[in-house]
Every structure is written in C-alpha cells, then in structure tokens.
Amino acid sequence: MPANIEGSKFENVPSRTYDERVEARLGVLEKDVAVMQNNFATKDDLQALRAEMHEGFERIAAAFYSHRQEVKAEIDKLREEVLAALSNQRIDFNAALSNQRIDFNAALAKQREEFQVALAKLHEEFSVALANQRDDFHVAMANQRDEFRTALAQLRDEFQTALAQQREEFHAALAHQHEEFHAALAHQHEELHAALALQREDFHAALASHSIELYKGFANQAWKFYGLASLLVAGVYYIARYVH
C-alpha cells in the first residue's frame, strides 16, 4: 500500500500497521477455513462460509474506504485552512498547523480505535457463527451416521430373513425332488425286475423247447444207429454162417 495519501506530503505510517493487522486477520480466517475443511465441511457449508467471508471483507473494505475518504476530506480541509491561514499570517500558521495536526491525530486515533473495535466485534460474531455452524454440522453428521447404521442393520436383517426363507424353499424343493427321484427309481426297479422275470420265463421256455428238440434228434440218431447196428449184426451173422 502506498505510504502517502494522494496530494499529501505527510507519510501515512499508521495505515501500514493497519494493513499488516488486516493481513494477519485474513491469515487467521484462512486457517479457520482450513480447519473447517478438515472437519468434514460440505460444499454448501463452504459456499455459505465463503459468502459470509466475502460479506465481511466487503464490510471491512467499505469501512476502510469510508475511513480513507474521511481522512482525505480532513486532510483537504486542513490544507485549505492552512493555506488560508498562511495567506493571512505566516507566524500563526505554525501554531495553527500544530493544533490542527494534534486534533487530526486525535481524531484519526479515535476513528482507528472505533474501527478496530468494530472489526473485533465482527470477528467475534463471525467466530461465533462459525462455531455454531460447525456444531450444527457435527450434529447433522452424527444423525446421518446413526440413520445410515439403522438402515444398514434393517437391510441386513431383511437380507438374512430372505436368505433363510430361500434356503428353506431350496431344502423343501430338494427334498421333494429327492422323493420323486426315489419314487422313479423304485418304479424303474420294479419294471426292471418284471422285465427280467419275463425274460427268464422266455429263456426257460426256449431252453425247454430246445431240450425237447435235442432229445428228439438224439432219439432219431439212436434209431438210426440201432438200424445200422442191426444190419452189421445181420451181416456178420450171415458171413459167419454161410461163408464158412
């Protein structure tokens, strides 16, 4: 910030100190904002805080600008009075200038004190509002966490109930399918035994028929052998009787 006010030859040393204080307070506000961001502040909370900070900065800038205009007006007024007094009497100018400087410094100090008090009050109000907003945010976060845990527990219970019901339905369906499978297996076993019994009867009938036919064949062969043997015996008898 410039050291001299426009058109003035007097150095504005206290304004530099005031600027440093304002920058220090802005640094503190930025730290508070960083603390809020670390305390899980939402986007809406940060926007509301940013809006409040901008409003506070605008009020501070307006107050500072008003203070600067008043100081400039006082300086202009003082310059006019000094020039008027200098044109009338050069000796009284030094005394009047000293008195005006003293009055001006007193007025400036008083106005600076009032501005510092107003700024401190604004900072306290801002800190209180920030603390209240932080407490409200923590309470809302705790409530939301409790509601989420309650909903999660309810969902877990419903899922376990549905899973148990589905398990029971699955076991019932499996038992029913097991019974149907055993019934079908028993029915197939009975049909297989019936088919084996029928096949056994057919086999025994075919075996008996084959045995009868084989017996008949043996009987025919026996009769043929008997006839051949009779012929052989007759031939031997004939040879033995009539040849010799």
Side-chain angles (χ1 to χ4, degrees), residues 18 22 26 55-65 115 119 122:
Y18 170 75
V22 171
L26 290 177
E55 290 178 358
F57 293 156
E58 289 178 357
R59 289 196 296 267
I60 293 173
F64 181 74
Y65 181 76
F115 180 76
L119 185 62
L122 181 62

Side-chain angles (χ1 to χ4, degrees), residues 167-179:
R167 188 184 295 110
E168 292 177 358
E169 293 177 356
F170 175 75
H171 283 295
L174 187 63
H176 183 67
Q177 188 176 7
H178 188 267
E179 292 176 357

Side-chain angles (χ1 to χ4, degrees), residues 18-57:
Y18 170 75
D19 292 339
E20 293 176 355
R21 292 179 181 177
V22 171
E23 290 177 357
R25 292 185 182 276
L26 290 177
V28 172
L29 290 176
E30 290 178 355
K31 291 182 179 179
D32 293 336
V33 172
V35 171
M36 282 194 64
Q37 291 179 351
N38 293 326
N39 288 330
F40 306 100
T42 60
K43 185 177 181 180
D44 294 333
D45 296 333
L46 292 177
Q47 290 180 354
L49 178 60
R50 190 177 293 110
E52 292 179 0
M53 289 177 62
H54 282 300
E55 290 178 358
F57 293 156

Side-chain angles (χ1 to χ4, degrees), residues 83-218:
L83 292 176
L86 184 60
S87 62
N88 294 327
Q89 189 176 1
R90 188 178 183 85
I91 297 174
D92 295 335
F93 172 75
N94 292 327
L97 183 61
S98 299
N99 294 329
Q100 290 292 335
R101 187 182 293 111
I102 294 171
D103 294 338
F104 172 74
N105 290 330
L108 185 62
K110 183 179 181 181
Q111 193 170 8
R112 186 181 294 109
E113 290 177 359
E114 292 177 354
F115 180 76
Q116 293 291 337
V117 171
L119 185 62
K121 185 178 180 181
L122 181 62
H123 184 269
E124 291 177 359
E125 292 177 354
F126 178 76
S127 299
V128 171
L130 186 63
N132 293 331
Q133 190 174 7
R134 187 184 297 113
D135 295 336
D136 295 338
F137 175 74
H138 284 294
V139 172
M141 183 68 73
N143 293 330
Q144 189 175 7
R145 188 182 297 110
D146 295 337
E147 292 177 357
F148 176 75
R149 289 179 179 175
T150 303
L152 185 62
Q154 185 177 0
L155 183 62
R156 187 184 296 110
D157 295 337
E158 292 177 357
F159 176 75
Q160 290 179 355
T161 302
L163 186 63
Q165 185 177 1
Q166 189 175 8
R167 188 184 295 110
E168 292 177 358
E169 293 177 356
F170 175 75
H171 283 295
L174 187 63
H176 183 67
Q177 188 176 7
H178 188 267
E179 292 176 357
E180 291 180 353
F181 176 75
H182 279 289
L185 187 63
H187 183 67
Q188 189 176 7
H189 188 268
E190 292 176 358
E191 291 180 354
L192 180 64
H193 279 289
L196 286 176
L198 182 61
Q199 189 175 6
R200 189 182 296 110
E201 292 177 358
D202 295 337
F203 177 75
H204 283 295
L207 184 61
S209 178
H210 183 69
S211 297
I212 292 171
E213 291 178 358
L214 185 63
Y215 179 73
K216 289 180 179 180
F218 283 158

